[in-house]
Amino acid sequence: MKNFQLRQLNGSLGRKDYETVEKLADMPMSRRLLGEYTCDLYKLRALYLAQDITRFEEMLQHMIAATYKNPADKKSFLEQYFHTFLLKENKRYVDWLLEAIRQTGDEKLIRYTEQAYEVVINKRSDLIETMDAQIDAKQYYGFRLGVILYMIARQYEYLGDEENAGINYRSAKVCFPPKAIYIPAIRESLKRLGQPEDIQEGMRAQARRR
């Protein structure tokens, strides 16, 4: 039954039948089988894709304020949606999510989130050494490490250092799975710089320039 409900939800999303997604997500059976968090995520996604801005914002604020059975789910939601809207430079939503992230008390999450905010929203370029030190101290791995490398790359790009920007964009790309939200942003950045995506190609290009 659980798999059936998930197939129904995913199928409706695929068909862009967002009204059905909402109805399925609000069904007591769905909420009992899949849990409040999963159903809320599907509903939020449907409202976003349907471009129902008013109701999407209401749902986003509901999820920010909600307490879910597994605290890790809430933290994952805040982190993923923060970066989704950070890449779109949607300060309104990013501010909401950042405030909620600060309330988690997770120092590592808060630190790298605030730094990413400063780089993208406030266009700071003075955090390279600080973020490099966090990498050297092995404080972050996986997705978070990829974000830090991406933010270092953006700062180098702000400073006009295209070579170091490209190096860090390519290093960031390796940290993300293929469907991560940062992959298109990295590809776009490297294309803008006229640089290859592949690390080996990038090294060969650097050697030729020297």
Side-chain angles (χ1 to χ4, degrees):
M1 286 296 293
K2 184 177 180 179
N3 288 335
F4 174 77
Q5 290 295 100
L6 286 170
R7 284 197 300 271
Q8 291 286 93
L9 284 161
N10 289 325
S12 297
L13 272 180
R15 294 189 300 273
K16 299 183 180 181
D17 185 358
Y18 305 128
E19 186 176 343
T20 297
V21 175
E22 276 195 77
K23 288 178 180 178
L24 288 169
D26 282 335
M27 285 174 59
M29 180 184 292
S30 298
R31 293 199 166 254
R32 186 168 62 253
L33 290 170
L34 304 177
E36 297 290 328
Y37 172 70
T38 298
C39 289
D40 281 354
L41 272 182
Y42 273 102
K43 190 172 180 180
L44 184 72
R45 182 69 176 160
L47 290 168
Y48 178 72
L49 292 173
Q51 299 183 350
D52 189 338
I53 302 303
T54 300
R55 294 179 62 230
F56 169 77
E57 290 184 351
E58 290 172 357
M59 191 66 197
L60 180 61
Q61 289 182 319
H62 164 76
M63 290 192 71
I64 288 171
T67 300
Y68 293 104
K69 186 176 180 180
N70 183 354
D73 287 339
K74 175 68 171 288
K75 202 176 289 186
S76 174
F77 153 72
L78 293 173
E79 189 170 13
Q80 290 297 318
Y81 270 83
F82 172 86
H83 290 286
T84 296
F85 291 118
L86 184 69
L87 287 174
K88 297 177 184 296
E89 299 191 31
N90 186 322
K91 187 177 183 299
R92 175 180 172 84
Y93 297 164
V94 166
D95 282 346
W96 295 350
L97 291 156
L98 177 57
E99 182 56 35
I101 286 170
R102 285 173 174 150
Q103 292 172 19
T104 66
D106 184 330
E107 290 184 10
K108 287 184 180 178
L109 172 61
I110 295 167
R111 185 186 306 121
Y112 105 100
T113 303
E114 289 182 337
Q115 289 170 351
Y117 182 97
E118 290 299 320
V119 172
V120 176
I121 302 299
N122 291 331
K123 309 299 181 189
R124 283 181 61 180
S125 59
D126 61 336
L127 295 171
I128 294 172
E129 289 187 9
T130 299
M131 299 177 94
D132 265 333
Q134 290 167 180
I135 294 172
D136 291 341
K138 295 180 170 58
Q139 295 179 357
Y140 295 96
Y141 300 91
F143 179 89
R144 294 181 181 182
L145 176 59
V147 171
I148 290 171
L149 286 163
Y150 174 88
M151 296 304 160
I152 290 172
R154 281 193 70 146
Q155 291 177 82
Y156 276 122
E157 193 172 356
Y158 293 158
L159 294 169
D161 186 340
E162 294 187 357
E163 181 175 331
N164 276 310
I167 290 169
N168 282 279
Y169 279 132
R170 284 188 289 274
S171 297
K173 185 171 178 283
V174 176
C175 298
F176 296 114
K179 294 185 178 180
I181 56 175
Y182 273 88
I183 295 296
I186 290 169
R187 285 178 174 152
E188 184 180 327
S189 297
L190 288 168
K191 184 178 180 181
R192 181 172 62 250
L193 295 173
Q195 296 194 27
E197 289 183 29
D198 181 79
I199 286 181
Q200 294 300 321
E201 288 182 25
M203 290 173 67
R204 286 192 289 269
Q206 285 172 241
R208 286 195 297 271
R209 284 196 294 271
R210 288 169 183 167

